[in-house]
Amino acid sequence: MREIGIYCERIGPAFWAEPINAVSNGAFLVAALVMWRRAPQPVCRALSGVLAAIGVGSFLFHTHATVWAMIADVAPIGLFILCYIWAAHRYFWGLLWG
């Protein structure tokens, strides 16, 4: 596996080379759980699930720092952006698919 070490936070190739970044991703999981419980609407649950996936993917990237872990990090972020844009158009502005 090809490692990615082109940014300043990474101090080496070890699993815990970015301990603060890795541990702080738990905040995404806490936020996802809180929002899952506070908003039972399907779109809110979907966004909460993607938020949890962001936390897991980011943890993987900040511990493994490989290409596959980078994809696990950025793919859920992209999905969250797309879901949020759809939800904002649908629920804030009342726009339909057409």
Side-chain angles (χ1 to χ4, degrees):
M1 293 284 162
R2 191 175 131 226
E3 291 185 7
I4 300 171
I6 56 172
Y7 51 98
C8 60
E9 293 92 357
R10 191 140 190 96
I11 59 174
F15 185 83
W16 288 110
E18 294 181 66
I20 295 172
N21 284 336
V23 172
S24 66
N25 290 307
F28 284 98
L29 301 176
V30 171
L33 179 63
V34 168
M35 293 314 298
W36 180 276
R37 299 176 88 190
R38 290 183 76 185
Q41 296 87 357
V43 69
C44 296
R45 292 272 172 104
L47 286 168
S48 297
V50 177
L51 188 61
I54 290 171
V56 171
S58 188
F59 174 81
L60 290 171
F61 179 64
H62 291 296
T63 53
H64 293 283
T66 59
V67 173
W68 67 265
M70 181 184 65
I71 294 168
D73 182 27
V74 298
I77 294 170
L79 182 61
F80 186 90
I81 291 167
L82 292 174
C83 288
Y84 184 84
I85 289 171
W86 175 83
H89 280 84
R90 176 73 173 99
Y91 294 100
F92 298 155
W93 298 315
L95 300 177
L96 302 175
W97 286 103

